[in-house]
Amino acid sequence: MGFALTADPVHLGLIQSLSRPGGNMTGVTTNVPDDFFAKRLEILRELVPGASKIAVLINPDNPLQRLYFAEEIPRIARHLGVALPLVPATKPEELDIAFASAAAQHADAIIDFGDALTYAQAQRIIALAAKYHLPANYLFRHYADGGLSVYGADTADLFRHAGDYVDKILRGAKPVDLPVQRPTKFVLIINVKTAKALGLTVPTSLLIRADQVIE
């Protein structure tokens, strides 16, 4: 019997599907809906009207990111009518190169796809975005401390669901009978102070939708 919290348990081969995990594994996944990345791009385009090139910070060593970008980036770029150059970093010291590459390609903004590397390097990435004057969108809540915008799963809600599942299993429920849960609540955070430093005016429509506004 097992319980897991992971990004994409299907592609990792841990379960058969989210609704019917099979075997003795269930849990909570941070895997988001298919249109989630496009929504993050739209937030950036609201913050930077007319943005036609948005660099995407990725980790090529992350197999799930490789799969996603091979399949989805061309489609999203066509759908939104925006160029999405990839700027890779596999270790902390390569982040500087990635941001320099984004600036050299005259990107209007940058979006951090988000994984363990960038989670741990938040302050370094925020500083690089400021250095290169790149409006950015991040996945993780702790980026709000200096980062322009965050849009990601409400992790507190995910862990509440995880706790509920642990309780059910301890009370005798079988993991095979419990579908793997995806995020259903998302958090939008806007840092107005950072926007002003970048010379941006945050539209009222975005401020109204934000779950948190940092002045």
Side-chain angles (χ1 to χ4, degrees):
M1 181 179 346
F3 177 88
L5 170 62
T6 186
D8 195 333
V10 177
H11 278 109
L12 290 176
L14 297 176
I15 61 173
Q16 297 174 13
S17 70
L18 298 180
S19 59
R20 296 180 179 276
N24 289 315
M25 182 72 70
T26 190
V28 177
T29 174
T30 56
N31 190 21
V32 292
D34 293 340
D35 63 347
F36 177 75
F37 186 70
K39 287 182 179 179
R40 294 181 64 198
L41 289 168
E42 290 289 7
I43 290 169
L44 265 180
R45 296 179 81 188
E46 288 186 66
L47 287 165
V48 189
S52 60
K53 182 182 290 187
I54 299 175
V56 185
L57 178 62
I58 65 166
N59 181 357
D61 284 350
N62 184 323
L64 296 180
Q65 289 193 18
R66 287 200 306 270
L67 177 66
Y68 183 88
F69 286 111
E71 296 179 352
E72 295 295 323
I73 277 293
R75 181 187 64 80
I76 292 173
R78 287 193 302 270
H79 177 69
L80 296 180
V82 61
L84 299 173
L86 305 182
V87 289
T90 60
K91 47 192 175 183
E93 53 268 32
E94 292 178 354
L95 291 168
D96 303 66
I97 299 171
F99 273 83
S101 174
Q105 295 179 69
H106 304 290
D108 300 303
I110 191 167
I111 186 166
D112 168 26
F113 191 79
D115 76 341
L117 170 67
T118 56
Y119 182 90
Q121 296 295 316
Q123 289 307 309
R124 183 173 191 163
I125 291 171
I126 290 170
L128 285 167
K131 175 182 176 179
Y132 288 101
H133 209 72
L134 282 169
N137 179 264
Y138 306 103
L139 183 64
F140 305 113
R141 182 187 284 269
H142 66 299
Y143 272 91
D145 183 15
L148 174 63
S149 64
V150 173
Y151 186 64
D154 185 337
T155 52
D157 185 63
L158 278 178
F159 282 114
R160 279 193 294 271
H161 285 302
D164 289 342
Y165 264 24
V166 170
D167 180 66
K168 288 179 179 179
I169 292 171
L170 290 175
R171 291 175 182 270
K174 296 179 180 180
V176 69
D177 295 327
L178 300 173
V180 173
Q181 297 193 42
R182 298 175 78 174
T184 57
K185 293 181 65 178
F186 299 89
V187 176
L188 172 62
I189 305 173
I190 303 294
N191 191 315
V192 175
K193 182 178 180 180
T194 300
K196 290 178 179 178
L198 291 167
L200 301 175
T201 299
V202 181
T204 302
S205 59
L206 201 56
L207 292 174
I208 292 172
R209 301 201 320 265
D211 299 281
Q212 182 180 357
V213 176
I214 298 174
E215 301 286 352

